[in-house]
Amino acid sequence: MSTVTANTNNTKADWKVTMNPDDLYKNPMNIAWTFDYMMSGDKVEDLYKRAKQNQWDSDELLPWDTVVDPSKPLINDRSDIYHQMPFFKKLSKSQQETFTAHSTAQLLSQFLHGEQGALMTAACVTHSVPDATAKLYAATQTMDEARHVEVYARYCDKIAIVYPMSLWLKALIDATLKSDRYEKVMIGMNMIVEGLALGAFNNMYRTTQCELLKKLTFNVMRDESRHVSFGHAYLGPVIAKLHRDEVEDLAEFAFQAVNILAHAGTAGTLASRVDPGFLQVLENSNLDPQDFFKGIEAAEADGIAQQLPPGQIHSLKDLMLPALARVGLLTPTVRKKYEEAGIPVFDDPRVLEAMEGGHPVAA
Ligand SMILES: [Fe+2]
Ligand SMILES: [Fe+2]
């Protein structure tokens, strides 16, 4: 079981997340040396140059002295999907505020834990990818992710609460880290988890009322747009040269990863009934889980839960699936599996391409 501590005295956050046996495991990944140090002269080299030029130091760049009141919502009511649901509108103003504050803290905690996963996958790609330019690029991503862990850890400390990692996110990143080839690590992280993150960061950037969080998210998002571009720029040509059976193996891995996510019931916007962290959000907000999920079901029946508030991006539809389609990982065989699993396939890359430019986007 995980633990979470709501600290109302504004002292240090409690980081205790109880260990389970999966927190320590071996990884069968190859270590790939290369002695061809010539730079590739292609898009991956451009990304490496951009990464060098765009390094930043949060000590200098972010207004850390901003006062954040952990009991007040960090995001605007109008952009929160729960505020559109009839059952939620019936709650008292203070209960709505408490819930929004805690559910935002839970989402920020997922950003923090996810960044640690990204740090480890980027380090893993650095030692397992055979190409020299890709190795150097992956090293810059490793530093980016270290900075992201640092800034989210500092921000969560300001709101003095860290919720446990959602089980589906842990499962997704563990499957990525336990995979047997670097291509899968890049699919799991650079295409799927970072597609999810880019959408969630974009939505946070557009909806937060906290200047510190807005600036922090903007800078993190700019780094993330490079990470998503790397997935495409490097893996696209690699996949194009693979044997059909290997492509199917990668496509199957991508499907399994997307399937975990699609059935997690949340991309930071909607609650999961089985997420211990989310149940703690309800407990800390004094909301009865049965009533809460009944309210969500009723809103779903009215079609409210399926629509994101205006301007928000849907990670799966706008970022992840188009990214997988673009590198040839939505093969006819796996398309059938997506269909059977009830996951609609989208391959319009416009939002993805706009976000790779490194700017916030309104869907
Ligand atoms: Fe990151
Ligand atoms: Fe990243």
Side-chain angles (χ1 to χ4, degrees):
M1 271 306 288
S2 299
T3 57
V4 63
T5 302
N7 190 333
T8 48
N9 297 326
N10 235 353
T11 50
K12 293 278 171 202
D14 186 344
W15 297 95
K16 228 184 311 156
V17 175
T18 307
M19 302 284 277
N20 68 52
D22 259 1
D23 288 324
L24 189 64
Y25 52 79
K26 290 196 171 140
N27 169 326
M29 190 67 66
N30 289 337
I31 306 289
W33 279 89
T34 176
F35 296 100
D36 178 1
Y37 293 102
M38 286 297 287
M39 295 297 274
S40 57
D42 60 7
K43 212 171 160 213
V44 177
E45 187 176 341
D46 287 346
L47 283 169
Y48 175 64
K49 285 186 181 155
R50 249 170 70 190
K52 283 193 298 179
Q53 285 155 4
N54 291 332
Q55 292 293 313
W56 50 282
D57 180 354
S58 84
D59 290 342
E60 287 166 12
L61 201 66
L62 300 181
W64 286 113
D65 53 359
T66 304
V67 177
V68 180
D69 179 351
S71 69
K72 291 279 174 246
L74 295 163
I75 60 168
N76 194 321
D77 288 7
R78 289 185 306 276
S79 45
D80 176 30
I81 196 158
Y82 296 108
H83 282 82
Q84 300 173 18
M85 299 184 181
F87 85 98
F88 196 84
K89 288 181 188 162
K90 285 188 206 141
L91 300 175
S92 71
K93 178 87 182 144
S94 89
Q95 220 172 3
Q96 290 183 5
E97 281 196 357
T98 308
F99 172 79
T100 309
H102 278 280
S103 62
T104 309
Q106 196 251 355
L107 176 60
L108 288 169
S109 304
Q110 304 320 305
F111 291 174
L112 169 61
H113 302 313
E115 293 295 357
Q116 184 191 167
L119 171 66
M120 295 192 284
T121 58
C124 177
V125 172
T126 309
H127 70 235
S128 57
V129 72
D131 176 83
T133 313
K135 270 189 195 301
L136 299 192
Y137 174 79
T140 67
Q141 182 171 340
T142 308
M143 182 56 224
D144 292 345
E145 307 299 9
R147 182 170 46 243
H148 300 172
V149 173
E150 177 207 325
V151 295
Y152 282 113
R154 283 178 78 175
Y155 194 84
C156 286
D157 210 40
K158 270 190 168 288
I159 55 172
I161 187 161
V162 176
Y163 278 94
M165 188 169 191
S166 290
L167 300 177
W168 62 268
L169 181 60
K170 178 94 175 14
L172 186 55
I173 298 182
D174 276 338
T176 299
L177 280 166
K178 286 177 179 174
S179 68
D180 55 353
R181 45 195 296 176
Y182 78 85
E183 293 97 327
K184 289 182 185 169
V185 179
M186 287 181 62
I187 291 166
M189 182 50 65
N190 297 72
M191 306 187 95
I192 295 174
V193 177
E194 287 177 324
L196 175 71
L198 203 50
F201 292 153
N202 187 71
N203 296 340
M204 179 62 81
Y205 172 78
R206 289 174 55 84
T207 57
T208 184
Q209 303 163 128
C210 170
E211 273 315 303
L212 169 59
L213 184 55
K214 201 175 185 74
K215 207 161 180 196
L216 180 162
T217 309
F218 178 81
N219 284 285
V220 169
M221 205 162 47
R222 217 164 55 140
D223 293 344
E224 295 302 342
S225 69
R226 283 195 304 274
H227 306 168
V228 170
S229 292
F230 176 56
H232 173 59
Y234 187 70
L235 271 190
V238 166
I239 291 172
K241 287 187 207 126
L242 290 178
H243 186 273
R244 238 183 58 193
D245 293 350
E246 288 182 296
V247 176
E248 286 301 342
D249 180 40
L250 298 183
E252 170 69 24
F253 176 81
F255 165 71
Q256 294 295 349
V258 168
N259 200 26
I260 291 178
L261 200 145
H263 293 102
T266 175
T269 47
L270 286 181
S272 162
R273 269 153 239 260
V274 292
D275 186 322
F278 194 79
L279 293 174
Q280 280 164 353
V281 168
L282 296 180
E283 202 182 312
N284 289 341
S285 316
N286 235 339
L287 291 168
D288 177 69
Q290 255 187 330
D291 293 348
F292 185 88
F293 290 117
K294 240 188 243 160
I296 293 208
E297 273 166 33
E300 270 170 356
D302 290 342
I304 293 172
Q306 281 93 31
Q307 303 155 8
L308 284 175
Q312 297 213 13
I313 281 181
H314 193 294
S315 299
L316 197 63
K317 168 175 172 277
D318 294 324
L319 301 172
M320 262 175 260
L321 289 168
L324 293 171
R326 206 169 50 170
V327 295
L329 290 178
L330 294 183
T331 62
T333 312
V334 293
R335 274 179 189 259
K336 276 188 213 126
K337 294 192 177 181
Y338 283 95
E339 205 176 298
E340 281 159 22
I343 305 169
V345 167
F346 296 94
D347 43 24
D348 181 345
R350 281 175 299 177
V351 173
L352 172 65
E353 284 166 2
M355 290 222 63
E356 283 173 330
H359 301 290
V361 164

